[in-house]
Amino acid sequence: MSRHVAIVTDSTAYLPARTMERHGITAVPLTVVLGDRALEEGTEISTRALAQALQKRRPVTTSRPAPAVFEETYRKVAESGATGIVSLHLSAELSGTYDAAVVAARQSPVPVRVVDTGMIAMALGFCALAAAEAAESGGTVDEAVAAAEKRAAGTSAYFYVDTLDYLRRGGRIGAAQALLGSALAVKPLLQLADGRIEPLEKVRTASKAIARLEEIAADRAGSAQVDVAVHHLAAPDRASALADRLRARLSGLADLHVSEVGAVIGAHTGPGLLGVVVSPR
């Protein structure tokens, strides 16, 4: 067995399977509750099934992993030869996943550092990759954590949603903000700020909102070397077109990922989501 620092994250990082395998990253799944069925994100519910359920207004909620799931994950990772674990998770402002990991870390056979990245989606994924690269270079647990925290500090995430209603239902944005958006028939742009989803701008039409999303992402990237992720839910054409435009205009673009979000984030944003993560290297 090789002795190493292992990286654990959760399913909301939305890292490609091949990327996780190449870097030895383990993802613990969150749960989506559809009606009376609890389903693991990434294996037991597709984004298409989620989108259909939301469109039919079926009850959809999400749930953190149980501490026992993290305990089992940490045990298996330790058995593979890890001498320490860095466990990186979505914002504690949005989920109890971080708290569950903290509880489980106390039972781990090897030391675990649990980190609230304050991020979601590939904003979290880029943090996990930074930690994995540090570990692969022989870095310690502290060095891997520092690499992830540095990446998080520079990363920005922006989102367009067709409606704020799903975020309101899930308690991720205030009812007053959602009502205001509906009353004015505006298309909201949101940002991740201090681990929370906050309103950024309100734009009159979907096309203008998406154009503005592109401008904000391009301004944030500037001429720096950046990794970018474009996320969507049930909007592949929108995502592909936006990615093409960003690819053409970002002079410092390193990697660009285009992916559909999973069921956990999709349950809170609804179909039509378009998101951009900008992460300087």
Side-chain angles (χ1 to χ4, degrees):
M1 290 190 301
S2 63
R3 312 297 286 175
H4 62 282
V5 173
I7 308 302
V8 173
T9 187
D10 59 67
S11 59
T12 67
Y14 301 137
L15 286 164
R18 285 184 296 180
T19 300
M20 289 198 299
E21 185 176 353
R22 183 165 68 249
H23 293 282
I25 299 170
T26 302
V28 175
L30 273 72
T31 299
V32 177
V33 181
L34 187 59
D36 59 356
R37 299 174 62 207
L39 306 166
E40 282 190 359
E41 180 176 43
T43 58
E44 296 180 338
I45 180 169
S46 68
T47 50
R48 182 178 180 183
L50 170 78
Q52 290 174 342
L54 291 172
Q55 287 163 347
K56 294 176 181 177
R57 301 187 70 82
R58 294 180 60 189
V60 180
T61 58
T62 59
S63 176
R64 72 178 190 178
V69 177
F70 277 110
E71 286 182 31
E72 177 70 5
T73 299
Y74 296 153
R75 183 187 62 77
K76 288 181 177 179
V77 169
E79 288 174 354
S80 76
T83 55
I85 299 169
V86 177
S87 199
L88 302 154
H89 301 292
L90 81 160
S91 172
E93 293 281 349
L94 302 175
S95 169
T97 300
Y98 166 81
D99 293 330
V102 168
V103 170
R106 300 180 188 129
Q107 308 302 321
S108 173
V110 297
V112 180
R113 283 280 298 279
V114 184
V115 179
D116 171 14
T117 66
M119 301 282 112
I120 53 175
M122 272 298 293
L124 168 59
F126 287 133
C127 294
L129 284 174
E133 288 165 359
E136 288 163 6
S137 300
T140 63
V141 165
D142 286 346
E143 289 167 337
V145 169
E149 290 180 337
K150 181 179 179 181
R151 197 68 184 259
T155 296
S156 300
Y158 308 101
F159 309 92
Y160 160 82
V161 291
D162 279 333
T163 172
L164 291 171
D165 192 42
Y166 297 103
L167 285 162
R168 178 194 58 76
R169 285 190 227 168
R172 297 313 193 271
I173 199 165
Q177 286 284 355
L179 182 61
L180 180 61
S182 299
L184 296 176
V186 297
K187 295 299 183 181
L189 292 177
L190 309 166
Q191 65 178 334
L192 193 63
D194 298 323
R196 297 185 296 273
I197 297 172
E198 301 284 358
L200 179 61
E201 295 181 9
K202 298 185 179 75
V203 186
R204 283 292 179 182
T205 67
S207 60
K208 288 181 179 179
I210 293 169
R212 182 64 184 132
L213 180 65
E214 177 187 339
E215 290 294 329
I216 291 168
D219 288 347
R220 175 66 185 86
S223 59
Q225 187 180 33
V226 295
D227 294 324
V228 172
V230 175
H231 289 304
H232 73 94
L233 180 62
D237 293 341
R238 276 180 177 174
S240 178
L242 177 57
D244 288 344
R245 294 194 299 273
L246 289 172
R247 198 177 280 114
R249 70 184 293 177
L250 298 186
S251 60
L253 183 63
D255 286 332
L256 192 152
H257 303 259
V258 181
S259 65
E260 192 164 29
V261 299
V264 168
I265 289 180
H268 295 292
T269 61
L273 163 74
L274 200 57
V276 181
V277 175
V278 180
S279 183
R281 289 198 168 190

